[in-house]
Amino acid sequence: MANIRDVAQKAGVSVATVSRYLNNKGYISEEAKRVISAAIQELDYRPSLVARSLNTKQAMFIGLIVPDIVNPFFPELARAVEDVALAYDYTIVLCNSDEKIEKEIHYLNTLQQKYVSGFIVAASQADASHYTNLNVPIVAIDRRIHPSIPIVATDNREGARMGTEHLLQNGCRRLLCMKGPAGLGPADDRFSGFMDAVEGKDIEIEIVECPFQFEASEEVARTVLRQRSIDGIFASSDISAAGAMKAAYSLGITVPDQLQIVGYDGTKLSSQLTPSLTTVAQDLYRIGALASRMVIKLIEGQELEEHEIQIPAELVIRETTRSGA
């Protein structure tokens, strides 16, 4: 395998000149560029990314930090991030924080030491200072980190209002809101949207907090359904809605005849369930692709046209609500 010295010898220039050419730093004559390019092509030379990162203090890697890789929302998001990054010759390093601050900080520190080019962050439990003190570009997804950090997100409040209104329009009058973890920005916004929809209405509501996890959501829903007569559930994620569907099935409650359910996210899971899930869909691919393009622009020193991008949600009506059935 050819090395940089082989390229320099073939081109008839110094190793330093080849290094300047590879790193795009310093003056190089057009003739030198031509002979170096020809030598690289003839020798099929591929620069060492490790060596390049040591010289430029930057590797062609982007760290993607997600809170729970089991939740289908995040693999779908990661696919879009990776597709765009790869088109620009960047490699995505996927980090699963498990919603743990210590893991999140570990990934930030470790990848920065490896000269990572930037971060896309969909998990932000750590204090904002851990991000603002990093000397690399950062873009947030869905969860706001700090006003100085660009973000791509869905209008969670309006989306939740639409989903809850749909339950009301389908005759639900005893609603359960599975609101997601307290203090989590998207979950709080979706809860606000739920409250916007029910405010002033002559209905009964039950509000429970549960993580965006299948087993925990199933248990929370089963407990409430055993104790209360509920005819509609707004769940703040598709994974929570799936847990509620299983709980209803285990208790002999039919969906949507006795219980109607609306989820949130629009993951592929929502269309694969039986019955298929009515959900407030986020444009997951667009969100991931936009975040990837934004961080690459920042890495390459370009100005962002928008610091904050908010994408409308869409209500997708399927079989867990009566109008869909």
Side-chain angles (χ1 to χ4, degrees):
M1 181 181 292
N3 58 40
I4 192 170
R5 290 182 177 80
D6 297 328
V7 173
Q9 184 176 5
K10 184 74 176 177
V13 298
S14 69
V15 171
T17 301
V18 177
S19 178
R20 288 199 302 273
Y21 174 86
L22 293 172
N23 295 315
N24 197 27
K25 287 189 175 183
Y27 172 76
I28 307 173
S29 70
E30 291 303 316
E31 175 60 18
K33 290 179 182 178
R34 185 188 66 79
V35 295
I36 292 170
S37 177
I40 287 172
Q41 187 171 3
E42 184 176 341
L43 295 171
D44 193 25
Y45 171 68
R46 288 176 171 79
S48 164
L49 287 176
V50 174
R52 184 175 180 184
S53 68
L54 291 172
N55 289 329
T56 64
K57 301 302 182 186
Q58 186 182 90
M60 299 288 281
F61 295 102
I62 296 171
L64 172 60
I65 302 180
V66 302
D68 183 8
I69 199 64
V70 174
N71 187 327
F73 176 92
F74 296 106
E76 292 184 36
L77 193 71
R79 175 58 186 268
V81 169
E82 183 187 39
D83 283 352
V84 172
L86 195 59
Y88 289 88
D89 295 325
Y90 286 88
T91 298
I92 295 298
V93 180
L94 180 61
C95 305
N96 178 46
S97 73
D98 286 324
E99 297 278 17
K100 295 179 180 177
I101 294 174
E102 61 273 16
K103 286 189 71 174
E104 190 176 331
I105 294 172
H106 166 75
Y107 287 131
L108 289 174
N109 293 338
T110 300
L111 291 184
Q112 188 185 33
Q113 291 169 10
K114 302 296 183 184
Y115 306 126
V116 69
S117 299
F119 286 99
I120 297 173
V121 183
S124 52
Q125 294 290 317
D127 187 83
S129 63
H130 287 287
Y131 290 95
T132 55
N133 290 336
L134 293 174
N135 192 29
V136 295
I138 303 166
V139 172
I141 289 180
D142 211 32
R143 308 184 187 190
R144 191 179 304 279
I145 299 174
H146 187 269
S148 66
I149 295 175
I151 182 172
V152 184
T154 300
D155 188 342
N156 286 297
R157 184 167 183 164
E158 175 59 16
R161 187 199 64 76
M162 287 193 303
T164 308
E165 285 281 4
H166 179 68
L167 288 170
L168 297 175
Q169 290 165 5
N170 277 268
C172 296
R173 290 297 177 266
R174 301 180 302 279
L175 295 184
L176 168 63
C177 175
M178 300 173 68
K179 70 179 290 289
L184 185 65
D188 290 343
D189 290 343
R190 292 168 197 176
F191 174 63
S192 295
F194 172 85
M195 294 304 296
D196 290 343
V198 301
E199 186 176 6
K201 304 290 196 313
D202 184 21
I203 58 174
E204 299 175 21
I205 61 171
E206 179 83 7
I207 299 159
V208 292
E209 181 181 319
C210 67
F212 294 152
Q213 296 172 354
F214 179 84
E215 291 83 2
S217 298
E218 179 188 357
E219 185 57 38
V220 166
R222 184 182 291 110
T223 298
V224 176
L225 291 173
R226 277 174 174 160
Q227 298 172 350
R228 299 280 304 268
S229 175
I230 300 292
D231 62 9
I233 294 178
F234 173 73
S236 288
S237 71
D238 287 347
I239 199 77
S240 292
M245 289 173 65
K246 185 176 180 184
Y249 178 80
S250 70
L251 295 172
I253 300 171
T254 60
V255 177
D257 295 334
Q258 295 174 282
L259 175 67
Q260 300 183 71
I261 301 175
V262 172
Y264 199 110
D265 280 335
T267 58
K268 287 184 174 64
L269 170 72
S270 62
S271 64
Q272 296 166 347
L273 295 168
T274 302
S276 57
L277 177 66
T278 294
T279 185
V280 179
Q282 305 191 67
D283 192 337
L284 301 183
Y285 197 92
R286 185 181 175 199
I287 291 170
L290 281 170
S292 197
R293 290 191 185 99
M294 287 171 73
V295 79
I296 290 169
K297 278 188 173 183
L298 292 174
I299 291 167
E300 298 183 352
Q302 301 177 39
E303 291 286 334
L304 294 181
E305 295 174 5
E306 295 179 86
H307 187 81
E308 180 172 335
I309 299 177
Q310 192 170 74
I311 299 172
E314 177 188 4
L315 180 65
V316 178
I317 299 173
R318 296 198 183 96
E319 297 170 338
T320 57
T321 52
R322 288 174 191 159
S323 57

